[in-house]
Amino acid sequence: MHVLTDNFELYVQGFLGTVELTVYASLLALALGFLMASFRVAPVGSFRVFGTVWVNVLRNTPLTLLFFAVLLGLPRFGVVLPFQLFAVLTLGCYTSAFICEALRSGINTVPKGQGEAARSLGMTFGQTLGTVVLPQAFRSVIPPIGSTLIALAKNSAIAGAFSVTELLGTYKPLNEMGYNIIWTFVWIAVGYLIITLSISALFNVLEKRYGVAR
């Protein structure tokens, strides 16, 4: 227990760093995921191609390699940002590909007649997607989106290897100070458990309130 009590401030700093990364990256992932899902079902061919390339490239690229490409590659092209912002961009873009596919699967569950009825009323593609199709699709994909964001929270641990303050990175100074590595990781695991269970609880509430009855 003294590993936690003696270094409580360090653990809190890492915990809040992981929470911050998770929240910002989740918001970016949701926004990009919705956008790419719209591109994937758009009537414009160039949009569909862009969405398909985005999803296939990001889903099939190891996240660690993506971190290297963003944090070490972009500065070579004059893009210099704080490492934490780079980490948010990397996690958000990577996760958006999975959010996109979850939403697209939800869109496919919406009867085609819904969209046809909306178009017969004179609604544009954007209006049909935003007010008719996506709200119904989202209701059916709340659980997989929740699981994807839980995975994002755990993936944020990779950011610690790139000088970003997060929970897993707290083991380095504690190990150097000679603390028991097992108990160091036990308290780190407890921190991640709190974060993931909080996300799970949030999406359970959303599912009960807005999810499709099965």
Side-chain angles (χ1 to χ4, degrees):
M1 189 71 181
H2 68 280
V3 176
L4 177 64
T5 54
D6 293 350
N7 303 279
F8 187 72
E9 185 176 348
L10 181 62
Y11 271 108
V12 169
Q13 185 179 6
F15 179 83
L16 293 179
T18 294
V19 170
E20 190 174 358
L21 274 177
T22 300
V23 170
Y24 290 141
S26 295
L27 292 175
L28 178 61
L30 289 169
L32 287 176
F34 272 92
L35 180 63
M36 291 303 142
S38 302
F39 281 8
R40 293 275 274 163
V41 298
V44 182
S46 57
F47 283 1
R48 292 198 303 272
V49 170
F50 183 86
T52 300
V53 171
W54 178 276
V55 169
N56 287 333
V57 169
L58 291 176
R59 287 181 70 191
N60 294 290
T61 301
L63 182 55
T64 304
L65 179 60
L66 201 59
F67 263 97
F68 275 110
V70 172
L71 273 77
L72 303 181
L74 289 184
R76 293 179 178 271
F77 295 95
V79 181
V80 180
L81 298 170
F83 275 11
Q84 187 173 24
L85 184 53
F86 276 134
V88 169
L89 289 173
T90 305
L91 287 167
C93 290
Y94 176 78
T95 308
S96 70
F98 297 90
I99 297 289
C100 170
E101 288 303 276
L103 280 171
R104 191 167 72 93
S105 68
I107 290 173
N108 290 334
T109 65
V110 179
K112 291 183 179 180
Q114 298 278 336
E116 293 171 355
R119 286 192 293 272
S120 69
L121 294 174
M123 297 176 70
T124 64
F125 171 76
Q127 291 173 328
T128 300
L129 192 67
T131 60
V132 178
V133 178
L134 277 179
Q136 295 183 69
F138 180 75
R139 292 179 62 198
S140 66
V141 296
I142 292 174
I145 288 179
S147 298
T148 301
L149 296 185
I150 287 174
L152 184 154
K154 293 184 287 187
N155 287 337
S156 67
I158 299 176
F162 298 90
S163 303
V164 177
T165 300
E166 51 79 44
L167 188 55
L168 183 61
T170 58
Y171 89 89
K172 296 177 183 177
L174 294 177
N175 187 45
E176 292 172 357
M177 288 186 285
Y179 284 97
N180 187 306
I181 193 68
I182 295 177
W183 283 107
T184 298
F185 279 113
V186 165
W187 290 115
I188 289 174
V190 169
Y192 279 108
L193 192 62
I194 292 172
I195 294 171
T196 55
L197 288 179
S198 297
I199 297 173
S200 179
L202 172 62
F203 276 84
N204 283 337
V205 171
L206 290 175
E207 186 179 11
K208 289 178 181 178
R209 184 166 183 177
Y210 300 108
V212 176
R214 301 184 186 278

